[in-house]
């Protein structure tokens, strides 16, 4: 299922164990469901974190299988489609998107990227702000963390994008990992092999940070802000950090010398 306490819409997927093709979907529906609920997924610019609008200023509905922001229609005269908002009017307004498909309409912003396939199945993709761009491609932190979490010894994986000096093509993928014996040469090489097998080149972690403990928010989500701000600078990071060396194509320990080379542009990812 998918939903939020303050939201005015929700998705649910009821399936039997034999329905393998339905597993992993957070919602299921057809033409009738779409007509009744009016839920929409609109094209989204992850770099600027805003919906994409056409020449008329209206949002563009995403194609089947294309990730975009999930929107719920707001209808103040409907008991289940109204949005009462928060005690802070500014916070309320941030959750409302206006003039979406016509002048004067209003929609509740889920703050999440989802996609809907041609079978009517809804799939969660990522939180807005977590997805980032690298080398012209969108990187889903959820997709990368799922692959990393499948590696033996990894108990938690927190994925985020970091700025790299001299690199103007977005943010590089970095993963903070908590687990057992992840710093050995054998484990690092095996983890690299898994990423090369399961992830496209642009989504493979360029940096690894090994944590003894993983911080979470009050709602049990991984804390990313501090990790993202610290990046891979050895003077700011108290934990072991490894970088994918572009020459040897292996994870190597990040030290002050290697960090300086990146800063000066003498080493490129």
């Amino acid at each position: 299922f998918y939903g939020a306490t303050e939201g005015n819409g929700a998705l649910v997927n009821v399936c039997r164990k034999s329905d393998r093709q339905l597993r992993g979907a957070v919602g299921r529906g057809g033409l009738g469901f779409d007509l009744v609920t009016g839920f929409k997924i609109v094209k989204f610019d992850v770099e600027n974190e805003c919906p994409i609008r056409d020449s008329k200023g209206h949002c563009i509905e995403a194609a089947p299988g294309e990730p975009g922001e999930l929107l719920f229609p707001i209808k103040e005269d409907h008991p289940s489609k109204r949005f009462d908002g928060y005690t802070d009017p500014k916070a309320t307004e941030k959750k409302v998107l206006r003039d979406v498909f016509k002048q004067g309409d209003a929609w509740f912003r889920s703050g999440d990227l989802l996609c809907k396939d041609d079978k009517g199945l809804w799939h969660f993709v990522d939180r807005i702000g977590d997805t980032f761009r690298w080398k012209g491609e969108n990187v889903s932190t959820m997709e990368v963390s799922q692959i990393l979490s499948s590696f033996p010894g990894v108990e938690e994986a927190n994925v985020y994008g970091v700025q790299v000096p001299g690199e103007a093509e977005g943010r590089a993928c970095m993963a903070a990992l908590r687990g057992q014996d992840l710093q050995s040469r054998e484990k690092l090489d095996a983890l690299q092999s898994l990423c090369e097998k399961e992830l496209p080149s642009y989504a493979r972690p360029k940096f690894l940070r090994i944590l003894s403990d993983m911080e979470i928010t009050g709602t049990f989500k991984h804390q990313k802000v501090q990790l993202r701000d610290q990046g891979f600078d050895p003077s700011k990071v108290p934990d072991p950090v490894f970088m994918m060396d572009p020459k040897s194509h292996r994870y190597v320990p990040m030290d002050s010398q290697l960090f300086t080379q990146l800063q000066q542009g003498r080493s490129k990812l």
Side-chain angles (χ1 to χ4, degrees):
F1 68 92
Y2 172 89
T5 304
E6 77 277 23
N8 64 340
L11 295 166
V12 65
N13 172 29
V14 180
C15 66
R16 296 169 297 182
K17 291 184 178 179
S18 59
D19 296 333
R20 292 188 177 182
Q21 71 273 18
L22 304 182
R23 294 179 187 175
V26 297
R28 180 185 182 187
L31 179 60
F33 177 85
D34 294 343
L35 291 175
V36 172
T37 64
F39 301 165
K40 298 290 185 182
I41 295 176
V42 297
K43 293 177 180 287
F44 194 82
D45 182 345
V46 297
E47 189 169 0
N48 297 304
E49 296 189 5
C50 64
I52 298 174
R53 295 181 181 263
D54 59 21
S55 58
K56 296 181 180 179
H58 296 151
C59 294
I60 307 168
E61 191 167 359
E66 180 183 15
E69 183 174 8
L70 173 63
L71 304 179
F72 299 133
I74 297 176
K75 296 183 179 180
E76 297 299 341
D77 58 348
H78 195 289
S80 64
K81 293 184 179 181
R82 59 185 294 178
F83 176 53
D84 294 327
Y86 313 101
T87 55
D88 183 356
K90 292 183 178 179
T92 298
E93 192 58 30
K94 286 181 179 180
K95 294 296 291 185
V96 179
L97 192 64
R98 303 186 184 279
D99 303 328
V100 175
F101 296 109
K102 62 181 181 180
Q103 202 70 19
D105 65 354
W107 297 70
F108 175 82
R109 301 190 64 177
S110 68
D112 292 321
L113 298 177
L114 281 82
C115 68
K116 184 178 66 171
D117 62 24
D118 53 8
K119 296 182 178 65
L121 296 176
W122 302 69
H123 298 270
F124 182 87
V125 177
D126 214 348
R127 287 285 299 167
I128 288 175
D130 288 350
T131 295
F132 57 90
R133 288 182 69 80
W134 175 251
K135 304 295 184 181
E137 300 285 351
N138 293 339
V139 180
S140 168
T141 60
M142 174 166 285
E143 178 187 6
V144 179
S145 64
Q146 285 178 339
I147 297 301
L148 295 176
S149 297
S150 69
F151 184 77
V154 173
E155 298 172 6
E156 288 185 276
N158 189 356
V159 180
Y160 46 95
V162 291
Q163 295 284 354
V164 180
E167 295 283 357
E169 297 188 70
R171 292 181 286 165
C173 183
M174 184 168 183
L177 306 177
R178 184 179 71 85
Q180 301 295 323
D181 188 33
L182 298 177
Q183 301 181 50
S184 67
R185 183 75 268 160
E186 181 182 1
K187 285 281 189 178
L188 289 172
D189 288 346
L191 183 60
Q192 174 196 346
S193 297
L194 175 68
C195 292
E196 290 179 347
K197 178 183 178 181
E198 300 292 342
L199 293 169
S201 58
Y202 61 83
R204 296 168 193 163
K206 303 298 182 184
F207 304 94
L208 300 176
R209 177 174 176 173
I210 311 301
L211 302 176
S212 58
D213 190 30
M214 187 78 71
E215 291 189 24
I216 59 174
T217 68
T219 53
F220 304 101
K221 297 176 182 177
H222 284 152
Q223 178 60 259
K224 296 178 184 283
V225 177
Q226 184 178 8
L227 295 175
R228 188 163 50 220
D229 291 344
Q230 292 176 342
F232 49 88
D233 186 345
S235 67
K236 296 180 180 179
V237 180
D239 310 299
V241 174
F242 298 86
M243 186 190 87
M244 175 55 65
D245 183 17
K247 295 181 180 179
S248 65
H249 299 287
R250 304 177 84 183
Y251 284 114
V252 298
M254 169 64 71
D255 54 24
S256 57
Q257 182 178 359
L258 188 53
F259 182 74
T260 300
Q261 292 177 358
L262 281 173
Q263 281 188 311
Q264 296 177 349
R266 289 185 286 138
S267 180
K268 292 288 186 179
L269 296 179

